[in-house]
Amino acid sequence: MISLKQFLEGCKKNAARIKTYKEGKSGQNGESDCIGYVIGAMDLAGQKWGGTHGSNYSARYRTKNLHKVTKASDLKLGELVYKAYSPGDSK
C-alpha cells in the first residue's frame, strides 16, 4: 500500500516522462494511455499494478467507494474519475 503523498509524487514523475498517447503503455518510453498514467504513477511510487491494463478493471476491482458523477458538484478535490457507460447507453 502506498500513501497519497507517494502516489502524487509518482504522478508528477510519470507526467514528466509522458510525451505521447499510446494504448497499452504506462509511461515507459514516453508513451501512455489514460489508465496507464495511473498505473505508471503507482509503479513509480513503489506499488506494482496487479491487474489488467484497463480502466474497467480499475473501477471494478481496485477502487473503493465508487459513486456516480453527474455534475461538477458531485466531485471532490483529489478524486479519480473513470469514464463509464451504463447499460443501454450509446457509444
Side-chain angles (χ1 to χ4, degrees):
M1 185 74 149
I2 57 174
S3 69
L4 176 59
K5 182 178 179 180
Q6 290 170 305
F7 174 67
L8 293 175
E9 283 298 317
C11 287
K12 284 172 47 176
K13 289 178 186 175
N14 206 25
R17 67 183 187 167
I18 296 170
K19 306 297 180 215
T20 306
Y21 180 89
K22 185 164 184 180
E23 281 189 28
K25 298 293 184 175
S26 57
Q28 63 276 36
N29 300 321
E31 302 170 324
S32 182
D33 60 14
C34 299
I35 194 62
Y37 174 75
V38 174
I39 293 169
M42 289 181 67
D43 286 345
L44 291 169
Q47 177 72 48
K48 295 302 173 197
W49 187 255
T52 61
H53 191 105
S55 58
N56 192 15
Y57 174 88
S58 307
R60 289 188 295 146
Y61 299 110
R62 299 287 296 198
T63 308
K64 296 178 183 173
N65 303 321
L66 289 174
H67 64 274
K68 189 172 186 175
V69 174
T70 57
K71 57 190 179 298
S73 61
D74 293 338
L75 295 170
K76 293 179 183 65
L77 185 62
E79 289 184 323
L80 285 174
V81 178
Y82 299 104
K83 66 182 182 295
Y85 294 104
S86 296
D89 286 349
S90 66
K91 295 184 180 183

